[in-house]
Amino acid sequence: MRIFVRLFLSVGLTLSLVGCGDSESGGSGGTAGSGGSGGAGGSGGSSMVTVTGTVSAAALDGNSTPVEGATVSVVGTSNTATTDAGGNFSVMAPTGTVMFLNTAAGNWGSLFAENVPAGGLAGLDVEVIPDALVDAISDALVTTADTSRGLVAVTFDETTTVGGETASISAASETSFVFDDLDEPVEGDTLVAGGGSEVIFFNVDLAGSVSATATSSAFQPCPLEFPSATYTVQAKVLTEIDVFCPAP
């Protein structure tokens, strides 16, 4: 499970903002919200298979609850699904690298890439970010969350990060932050040893497409986990761009 935003101890929160796409394929996932569509890469001409999963929302007590009425969209197609009372969905998607956009009222959204195998994909776990929690982030950063702009998380593989990894994006943003070894948000674009594995860009200007550049602690380039994916910045959506740095 990939954690976008860890513990907001500095503002009295004891829950995690989690964007995860843990599944049988071991891919990545995201949170749900609202916004337009981006492009899907590597799926042209692929056969359609079934993707099932659950959309849930983090709660202030740290427990996730299923979200009824959330929309799961397969970017680049007209295929969408609406979650039932248990937060469950089933949608048809092409095989290969697929972009998913998830929306739910009262939450911020996300756009994320996932590898969909030929046999289909079961157990795609997607969490949404409540508006109140994003507002708490704003308070911690002494700013205001702009719902007409987006968030971008450049997410490193947490099993190989050691601190010192850096990231940048092609779109303009108000600020960027990471988490230190005390789980406190710290402005900057460089991971802290023992801290989080994400560089998160706040209030990012909308862009037709956005790219990320990342380097390891040894100043070596870190490749994208899904190089064929097309990422966009959208209003009230968190876009996750996954990178992988080889173990030092």
Side-chain angles (χ1 to χ4, degrees):
M1 180 174 290
R2 176 168 292 115
I3 299 175
F4 283 136
V5 182
R6 300 176 73 187
L7 301 176
F8 279 88
L9 302 180
S10 63
V11 292
L13 295 177
T14 58
L15 62 103
S16 296
L17 266 180
V18 182
C20 59
D22 293 343
S23 64
E24 294 175 351
S25 68
S28 63
T31 51
S34 60
S37 61
S43 60
S46 299
S47 60
M48 304 297 285
V49 296
T50 302
V51 175
T52 62
T54 304
V55 177
S56 57
L60 291 179
D61 59 4
N63 296 316
S64 295
T65 55
V67 177
E68 181 178 6
T71 300
V72 179
S73 302
V74 179
V75 176
T77 77
S78 59
N79 298 345
T80 64
T82 302
T83 57
D84 63 17
N88 304 302
F89 68 88
S90 177
V91 68
M92 299 300 293
T95 58
T97 300
V98 177
M99 302 297 296
F100 291 92
L101 176 68
N102 311 281
T103 66
N107 296 272
W108 278 67
S110 77
L111 178 73
F112 65 91
E114 179 66 75
N115 179 48
V116 177
L121 182 61
L124 187 63
D125 183 15
V126 180
E127 283 200 353
V128 299
I129 308 176
D131 290 350
L133 199 47
V134 176
D135 290 340
I137 300 172
S138 301
D139 292 341
L141 296 176
V142 195
T143 186
T144 300
D146 186 347
T147 58
S148 70
R149 296 196 281 180
L151 306 173
V152 174
V154 179
T155 305
F156 294 80
D157 185 337
E158 61 184 1
T159 65
T160 61
T161 55
V162 296
E165 294 87 354
T166 64
S168 62
I169 59 174
S170 58
S173 65
E174 180 179 325
T175 188
S176 63
F177 66 99
V178 299
F179 282 85
D180 65 16
D181 57 348
L182 298 177
D183 293 320
E184 300 283 354
V186 178
E187 288 196 49
D189 59 7
T190 303
L191 297 187
V192 176
S197 58
E198 307 79 30
V199 179
I200 304 166
F201 297 85
F202 204 80
N203 283 344
V204 183
D205 291 346
L206 304 190
S209 64
V210 60
S211 59
T213 302
T215 60
S216 71
S217 58
F219 307 105
Q220 298 299 313
C222 299
L224 298 178
E225 184 174 349
F226 300 101
S228 63
T230 299
Y231 298 95
T232 60
V233 181
Q234 301 174 35
K236 204 180 178 184
V237 169
L238 187 152
T239 298
E240 178 188 357
I241 303 178
D242 298 295
V243 298
F244 179 81
C245 295

